[in-house]
Amino acid sequence: MSTTIDEARGAGRRPGDAIFKGTAVGAALVILLALAGVAVFLLYEGVPGILGAREETGSSFVAYVWPLVYGTLVAAVIALVIATPLAFAMALVISHYAPKRLAKPLGYIVDLLAAVPSVVYGVWGITVLGPQLVPMYRWLAETVPWIPFFAGPASTTGRTIFTAGVVLAIMVLPIVTAICREIFAQTPTLHQEAALALGATRWEMIRMTVFPYARSGMISAVMLGLGRALGETMAVALVLSASGVITLNFISNTNPSTIAANIALRFPEATGLAVNILIASGLVLFAITFAVNFAARAIAGRSARRMSR
Amino acid sequence: MAKSIDVSDLNIYYGDFLAVQGVNMTIKARSVTAFIGPSGCGKSTFLRSLNRMHEVIPGARVEGKVVVDGQSLYDPSIDPVAVRRQIGMVFQRPNPFPTMSIYDNVLAGNRLNSRRMKKAEADGIVEKSLKGANLWNEVKDRLNKPGMGLSGGQQQRLCIARAIAVEPQVLLMDEPCSALDPISTSAIEDLIHELKSDYTIVIVTHNMQQAARVSDETGFFNLKATGEPGQLVEFNPTKKVFSNPDESATEAYISGRFG
């Protein structure tokens, strides 16, 4: 490894290499600067909001932001619970089950889901999905009210945090599917043939070779999806009829809001310290997303080490 | 448990491309049969058709018959998965499962039926298979270490242990030593000699000395001509193939005057 680095240094004297190196380092620095700039901005504008929350809202900043954090996490978790198995299954169909002629178009169609603007998803959630889900919510509230998630009373508009979660699930589906599909397809033929030659069925072969090989990638994919679900603003802001409560009840008219949707809805009319408070809540979202990505890296790195051992 | 294999008029296709044409042979039980021939002449393709592994490649199919112990492998009622459980395979490059320990690698095939095994039974199979593959003494103290931590030759013997752990009728080996050093190669060849008393072994090799050392019978494959399908040129006892072959093409190939 060290020899290649030394060679690269020696080659740095050639103008092409020097230009490339300069551009690459510059690009990397711009990313770091932008990230640092965002962090500084959030801290500079947010800290007064954190400190001054009591005089503006009458309660501490934690009391203000906690229901939003809760709503953000709940919506994202619902989205992932729905999207993850679907995405894994779709990626497997594309990489291992569908005949080649079918697999390619199928992959494109899933990728197209990512091209739909989030406003469109939001409008679709309000006008189509929400009303469609109302009968199901009613049925759940009547049949299984002892499950806290479905305690009811059922929403009449369908604009619940569960609906928001379903919309988010569809939005994160393409990225999770695309990454998983790529990794599944990279599983070494050698290992797959080893399993098949032992008399494994296709599903057994997938469990013996594809999943262990792809595990870290699958986790990264889900974490990336989580990151997207946490930060998604427009669709949630449109779909959710939020009242900012903390509740386990996912199907009623009173729902927790999310940080991003709350900022989008409140920012236009906010003035003075209220702006700082909203920015401070953005800082919290930034910290959560950062932690999620960090955890994803750590998990992916750990299983990569296990594979190479 | 060792079985003979009867092949008659076997044509193997990849899509519309005829790769191997008109193979007829009888592979004897409890013996080692070697296939030699230049690269791309269809030896490996033919070997893989003996346990329906070539079907893994999209578009691959066969015409003709492969009969193991009176049962036609390509009968529509036969499940390829069942065929592969009966006819094991060892590949050119050692391919232990990277996430599994040595112990789990050996048991991988046994666990496929999702059958629960008692610990003692599992331990017994692991010990027997690793002893059968001449690997037991080298790994008995580190059975829970990853299989990828072994040397190449050890990994290949681990793959042989994994293949014989399910007690197949036939063991197919596709150039099992081509990625190994001479000492590991010699260890595998010794192992083939021992396994022959229990299994029917079919081996593809590029190494003619190896074919001469390990096999009882040898088949020489060659292309009819450039662009034509591969075919079985000669199939005879190994001694005869290497001393007094029927075909001049065989003699040309084994003496290095290949044309």
Side-chain angles (χ1 to χ4, degrees):
Chain A
M1 209 58 189
S2 63
T3 52
T4 56
I5 291 167
D6 289 341
E7 279 161 21
R9 277 197 189 127
R13 280 171 221 122
R14 281 178 221 128
D17 283 342
I19 293 168
F20 179 77
K21 190 184 169 195
T23 330
V25 170
L29 283 179
V30 166
I31 293 170
L32 280 181
L33 273 177
L35 194 66
V38 169
V40 167
F41 162 78
L42 286 174
L43 281 172
Y44 182 77
E45 295 282 334
V47 168
I50 295 173
L51 299 176
R54 193 169 291 280
E55 54 191 270
E56 178 76 15
T57 64
S59 60
S60 72
F61 177 72
V62 173
Y64 172 80
V65 83
W66 166 238
L68 296 173
V69 171
Y70 174 80
T72 307
L73 292 177
V74 165
V77 167
I78 293 174
L80 282 187
V81 166
I82 297 169
T84 305
L86 264 180
F88 289 172
M90 280 161 69
L92 267 186
V93 166
I94 294 169
S95 69
H96 280 84
Y97 280 93
K100 268 221 174 80
R101 263 179 314 153
L102 210 67
K104 271 230 162 117
L106 213 59
Y108 286 135
I109 291 171
V110 175
D111 287 345
L112 268 184
L113 282 178
V116 178
S118 63
V119 174
V120 175
Y121 278 114
V123 172
W124 175 74
I126 296 186
T127 57
V128 181
L129 182 68
Q132 292 289 324
L133 286 175
V134 168
M136 189 188 93
Y137 292 150
R138 207 175 293 136
W139 181 83
L140 283 170
E142 281 164 16
T143 335
V144 288
W146 64 87
I147 300 176
F149 304 145
F150 309 123
S155 161
T156 48
T157 59
R159 297 175 60 185
T160 67
I161 190 121
F162 190 87
T163 307
V166 174
V167 172
L168 283 178
I170 297 168
M171 297 179 74
V172 302
L173 204 54
I175 178 115
V176 183
T177 307
I179 296 174
C180 289
R181 178 184 83 203
E182 289 299 315
I183 303 165
F184 289 164
Q186 280 169 18
T187 312
T189 317
L190 209 60
H191 298 150
Q192 300 186 41
E193 290 196 334
L196 290 173
L198 281 172
T201 61
R202 203 182 309 206
W203 173 237
E204 286 168 331
M205 179 272 282
I206 286 167
R207 273 189 325 191
M208 278 170 94
T209 60
V210 177
F211 285 159
Y213 174 81
R215 185 181 299 142
S216 64
M218 289 158 80
I219 293 170
S220 308
V222 171
M223 291 292 187
L224 272 175
L226 181 59
R228 171 133 202 232
L230 287 173
E232 175 50 42
T233 312
M234 227 31 240
V236 180
L238 283 174
V239 168
L240 199 57
S241 141
S243 49
V245 294
I246 293 188
T247 172
L248 275 177
N249 189 348
F250 295 162
I251 60 169
S252 76
N253 276 321
T254 50
N255 291 289
S257 189
T258 71
I259 294 177
N262 183 61
I263 295 175
L265 293 173
R266 301 265 168 95
F267 206 82
E269 280 132 48
T271 49
L273 209 51
V275 173
N276 295 95
I277 296 178
L278 288 176
I279 291 175
S281 70
L283 176 65
V284 173
L285 182 59
F286 181 75
I288 295 174
T289 327
F290 199 80
V292 165
N293 281 317
F294 201 76
R297 291 263 164 218
I299 295 169
R302 208 174 53 195
S303 41
R305 272 197 301 281
R306 203 172 42 228
M307 286 290 287
S308 63
R309 200 169 46 190
Chain B
M1 68 190 151
K3 298 284 163 63
S4 61
I5 306 172
D6 287 298
V7 180
S8 41
D9 298 324
L10 195 72
N11 294 334
I12 309 176
Y13 293 87
Y14 290 113
D16 294 329
F17 173 70
L18 178 60
V20 180
Q21 189 178 32
V23 176
N24 289 287
M25 70 166 67
T26 299
I27 295 168
K28 289 191 186 123
R30 289 198 181 79
S31 70
V32 179
T33 303
F35 298 150
I36 57 171
S39 294
C41 68
K43 318 178 288 290
S44 292
T45 297
F46 175 69
L47 187 79
R48 288 164 67 98
S49 74
L50 296 181
N51 72 341
R52 299 189 65 169
M53 268 304 284
H54 77 297
E55 283 168 42
V56 170
I57 296 160
R61 63 198 166 86
V62 304
E63 288 167 0
K65 269 190 139 174
V66 179
V67 178
V68 176
D69 193 33
Q71 177 65 62
S72 171
L73 291 191
Y74 286 93
D75 193 273
S77 66
I78 297 284
D79 181 2
V81 168
V83 170
R84 295 176 201 140
R85 284 191 183 161
Q86 298 298 310
I87 303 179
M89 190 157 196
V90 176
F91 293 82
Q92 187 170 357
R93 280 175 55 204
N95 54 359
F97 297 117
T99 45
M100 292 187 194
S101 66
I102 295 169
Y103 187 93
D104 290 334
N105 257 296
V106 176
L107 286 176
N110 300 69
R111 282 182 173 150
L112 275 177
N113 303 312
S114 308
R115 188 168 59 91
R116 295 291 304 159
M117 262 180 299
K118 290 212 179 70
K119 179 86 170 80
E121 188 191 350
D123 288 347
I125 291 171
V126 170
E127 181 169 347
K128 183 169 167 243
S129 307
L130 285 173
K131 276 181 174 158
N134 277 339
L135 191 60
W136 176 250
N137 285 329
E138 290 157 68
V139 301
K140 65 182 175 206
D141 300 322
R142 47 172 171 156
L143 292 175
N144 291 314
K145 292 271 171 5
M148 294 299 275
L150 300 174
S151 75
Q154 289 172 326
Q155 284 185 22
Q156 193 63 302
R157 277 180 281 152
L158 177 59
C159 293
I160 294 174
R162 179 175 69 188
I164 62 179
V166 291
E167 307 200 330
Q169 296 165 348
V170 178
L171 201 55
L172 307 177
M173 297 181 162
D174 190 357
E175 298 183 39
C177 302
S178 63
L180 305 181
D181 66 87
I183 293 175
S184 304
T185 299
S186 150
I188 304 257
E189 286 181 7
D190 291 344
L191 177 56
I192 291 172
H193 268 297
E194 290 166 26
L195 291 174
K196 163 169 112 163
S197 53
D198 291 321
Y199 299 93
T200 304
I201 295 174
V202 186
I203 179 171
V204 165
T205 178
H206 268 298
N207 180 333
M208 279 177 281
Q209 286 74 33
Q210 181 170 64
R213 282 192 299 264
V214 301
S215 72
D216 303 302
E217 298 202 87
T218 297
F220 171 56
F221 283 79
N222 201 355
L223 296 175
K224 267 183 178 165
T226 315
E228 297 273 308
Q231 57 172 3
L232 179 64
V233 175
E234 176 164 355
F235 187 68
N236 267 321
T238 300
K239 279 208 180 79
K240 181 168 167 52
V241 169
F242 281 92
S243 58
N244 181 24
D246 287 338
E247 302 288 331
S248 58
T250 314
E251 191 177 8
Y253 183 72
I254 57 179
S255 61
R257 286 184 292 109
F258 180 56

